[in-house]
């Protein structure tokens, strides 16, 4: 039988090109605890793009849709649902870094807080490395076939000329 529509699961798989393949998606960056307060990993970028921390999430939302439609089982390490609600600080979940989302959806502390070792996120020392390390660790935990980390690398912010970011980088790990 063909795939059935299910509003809770997202798009319907329409072909079997990636059937059975487990693909993890890391939409890079997001809001994180820097040891004294909440901080973005990247500065604002030129319009019409959003801050890289948010733009990566927007693009990954589209990528996830296409992968699922082609039959892939996706594991996404930041919230893609803009209607999911808010982190306890009031920030929308889709804007939070991976470590906070991974904790929210039930991953063990060894995955979401591998650098600080603190299972209580949002306090103590900077959690930037928890965010960075948690994404590939979650892919290993899920035993995915490939891990795709998407970044627009727009870290230079509002700029002009040849020194401005001019493309994207996509990293993958299939080991």
């Amino acid at each position: 039988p063909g795939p059935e529509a299910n509003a809770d699961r997202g798009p319907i798989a329409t072909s079997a090109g990636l059937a059975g393949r487990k693909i993890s998606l890391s939409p890079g960056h997001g809001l994180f605890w820097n040891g004294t307060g909440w901080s973005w990993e990247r500065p604002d970028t030129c319009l019409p793009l959003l801050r890289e921390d948010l733009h990566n999430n927007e693009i990954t939302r589209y990528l996830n849709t296409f992968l699922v439609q082609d039959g892939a089982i996706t594991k996404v390490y930041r919230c893609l649902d803009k209607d999911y609600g808010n982190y306890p600080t009031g920030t929308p979940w889709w804007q939070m870094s991976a470590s906070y989302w991974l904790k929210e959806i039930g991953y063990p502390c060894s995955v979401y807080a591998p650098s600080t070792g603190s299972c209580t996120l949002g306090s103590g020392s900077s959690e930037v490395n928890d965010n960075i390390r948690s994404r590939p660790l979650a892919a290993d935990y899920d035993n995915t076939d490939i891990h795709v980390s998407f970044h627009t690398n727009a870290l230079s912010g509002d700029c002009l000329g040849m020194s401005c970011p001019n493309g994207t980088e996509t990293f993958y790990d299939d080991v």
Side-chain angles (χ1 to χ4, degrees):
E4 297 179 17
N6 182 335
D8 295 331
R9 290 191 329 196
I12 301 168
T14 58
S15 68
L18 293 173
R21 297 288 185 187
K22 249 196 311 189
I23 301 173
S24 57
L25 300 174
S26 168
H29 309 305
L31 196 66
F32 74 98
W33 178 257
N34 69 13
T36 59
W38 295 96
S39 182
W40 296 105
E41 287 190 63
R42 296 292 186 256
D44 284 326
T45 53
C46 300
L47 290 175
L49 298 177
L50 298 170
R51 173 185 304 276
E52 180 183 351
D53 301 54
L54 305 178
H55 189 68
N56 292 337
N57 192 290
E58 293 277 349
I59 294 170
T60 302
R61 189 173 302 118
Y62 290 109
L63 176 60
N64 185 59
T65 297
F66 292 118
L67 292 171
V68 170
Q69 286 175 342
D70 203 31
I73 300 162
T74 58
K75 298 290 191 172
V76 185
Y77 300 139
R78 279 184 62 199
C79 179
L80 296 183
D81 182 356
K82 286 188 172 184
D83 296 324
Y84 186 79
N86 297 333
Y87 185 71
T89 61
T91 301
W93 270 107
W94 74 273
Q95 295 180 4
M96 298 301 295
S97 290
S99 50
Y100 309 95
W101 180 244
L102 292 170
K103 180 178 181 178
E104 169 73 1
I105 60 175
Y107 284 78
C109 183
S110 59
V111 170
Y112 68 76
S115 293
T116 63
S118 174
C119 299
T120 304
L121 296 176
S123 63
S125 61
S126 175
E127 296 164 347
V128 68
N129 289 323
D130 284 339
N131 172 42
I132 293 166
R133 299 226 354 96
S134 68
R135 296 173 266 160
L137 286 174
D140 288 345
Y141 183 84
D142 289 331
N143 195 30
T144 60
D145 295 308
I146 189 170
H147 177 66
V148 180
S149 180
F150 188 87
H151 301 262
T152 60
N153 280 339
L155 73 114
S156 295
D158 194 9
C159 64
L160 299 170
M162 297 302 293
S163 66
C164 293
N166 61 6
T168 62
E169 289 184 4
T170 303
F171 301 94
Y172 66 92
D173 178 3
D174 63 353
V175 179

